Amino acid sequence: MLFIKEGKTLDKIILFDGECNFCDSSVQFILRREKGALYTFAALQSKAGQALLKKYRVPLTIDSLVLLDGNRCYYKSSAALRISKNLKGGWPLLSCLLIVPKPLRDYIYNIVAKNRYKWFGKKDSCTVPPPEIKKRFL
């Protein structure tokens, strides 16, 4: 199941919490470090985000980073570590943590996720991207 936008097939889509300051900063971090324009982004709260969750049969109540990569869907630490593979610098080294059992990785991920609003704050609405990268958002 691939998503098509303006006649172009999108095979790497990152869904994120558009109201979370930490998540927004993470998207900006990825945009600055990705190897080429690999990823397309959508807020979980957006119409496109909700449609993708439904299309990929992801529970609509998911409150996690989601990576849609071709026909595969990854959540939480698996999504973050797979995204790191396509970043510049030493970040791809983090993907070796995929050998750590998922329950342990997600336990740590869940601690950050549970406290992200308290630690980093929350927005009233999603950030509007600047015109030069707006086309990368659904």
Side-chain angles (χ1 to χ4, degrees):
M1 283 187 283
L2 300 175
F3 194 77
I4 299 174
K5 178 184 177 187
E6 300 170 359
K8 181 183 174 194
T9 301
L10 307 174
D11 64 344
K12 292 186 184 306
I13 302 171
I14 296 173
L15 303 176
F16 64 98
D17 181 348
E19 297 174 345
C20 168
N21 286 332
F22 179 71
C23 303
D24 181 60
S25 295
S26 297
V27 168
Q28 299 309 313
F29 180 88
I30 294 165
L31 284 165
R32 286 190 305 274
R33 290 169 179 81
E34 68 184 319
K35 297 174 185 172
L38 293 176
Y39 296 109
T40 302
F41 302 87
L44 289 166
Q45 298 87 346
S46 70
K47 286 182 184 180
Q50 290 294 299
L52 285 163
L53 292 176
K54 188 174 184 179
K55 182 177 182 174
Y56 281 79
R57 297 187 175 143
V58 177
L60 296 177
T61 56
I62 189 98
D63 188 21
S64 164
L65 179 68
V66 177
L67 172 62
L68 306 175
D69 190 352
N71 292 326
R72 302 287 316 257
C73 185
Y74 302 97
Y75 313 104
K76 300 182 180 187
S77 64
S78 296
L81 294 172
R82 288 179 183 281
I83 291 166
S84 76
K85 285 182 180 183
N86 293 307
L87 301 179
K88 296 173 189 171
W91 297 104
L93 295 173
L94 288 176
S95 66
C96 72
L97 293 174
L98 286 165
I99 65 169
V100 174
K102 185 172 174 16
L104 179 59
R105 287 187 281 120
D106 282 348
Y107 175 78
I108 295 165
Y109 179 97
N110 288 334
I111 291 171
V112 175
K114 181 180 175 183
N115 293 291
R116 69 185 187 269
Y117 294 142
K118 182 171 50 173
W119 294 343
F120 304 102
K122 185 176 179 178
K123 300 173 183 286
D124 292 330
S125 61
C126 298
T127 301
V128 177
E132 63 272 12
I133 62 167
K134 189 172 185 173
K135 64 184 176 191
R136 305 270 311 277
F137 288 77
L138 302 175

